[in-house]
Amino acid sequence: MKFFISYKTMSLLGFFLIMVTLVSQVQSSPCSSTFFSSLVQLIPCRGAVAPFSPIPPNDSCCNALRALGQPCLCVLVNGPPISGVDRNMASQLPDKCATSFDPCEIM
């Protein structure tokens, strides 16, 4: 029984630490969207950020990226792992879309 309590306590502590990290990332950037709404906004870029994808970003993707903005892109790039998204390719979207975003700071 003691192991179960210990495991439960460690799980809660781990969850708490992850949430604090995510909240601090969001608070340290002027992104006004939540992580998930930012992710949804970049759905048109799905093909351009898939691992090993040769597909360049299309106009819909670039328009969505410009509307999202650099701070929110950085929240996505530095946030928790996203299944089916290559973070390196996502961080290259501004260059591929000829958008003048500053590079994201790696956290």
Side-chain angles (χ1 to χ4, degrees):
M1 183 74 169
K2 187 171 183 156
F3 175 75
F4 178 74
I5 293 171
S6 230
Y7 177 75
K8 186 176 180 181
T9 302
M10 293 301 290
S11 296
L12 287 173
L13 180 62
F15 176 75
F16 177 74
L17 289 173
I18 290 170
M19 293 307 294
V20 166
T21 301
L22 289 175
V23 168
S24 68
Q25 285 179 359
V26 170
Q27 288 178 342
S28 68
S29 69
C31 176
S32 61
S33 299
T34 65
F35 177 84
F36 293 108
S37 66
S38 297
L39 185 60
V40 167
Q41 193 169 346
L42 283 183
I43 285 177
C45 299
R46 179 178 46 214
V49 298
F52 309 108
S53 174
I55 301 170
N58 58 26
D59 288 340
S60 297
C61 171
C62 293
N63 291 335
L65 178 69
R66 288 183 195 99
L68 183 66
Q70 185 262 357
C72 293
L73 176 64
C74 291
V75 167
L76 289 175
V77 168
N78 290 318
I82 306 164
S83 178
V85 175
D86 182 321
R87 291 174 188 235
N88 186 42
M89 292 179 79
S91 66
Q92 293 173 12
L93 282 176
D95 289 336
K96 292 180 179 179
C97 288
T99 305
S100 59
F101 287 173
D102 290 331
C104 297
E105 292 181 25
I106 305 299
M107 297 189 174

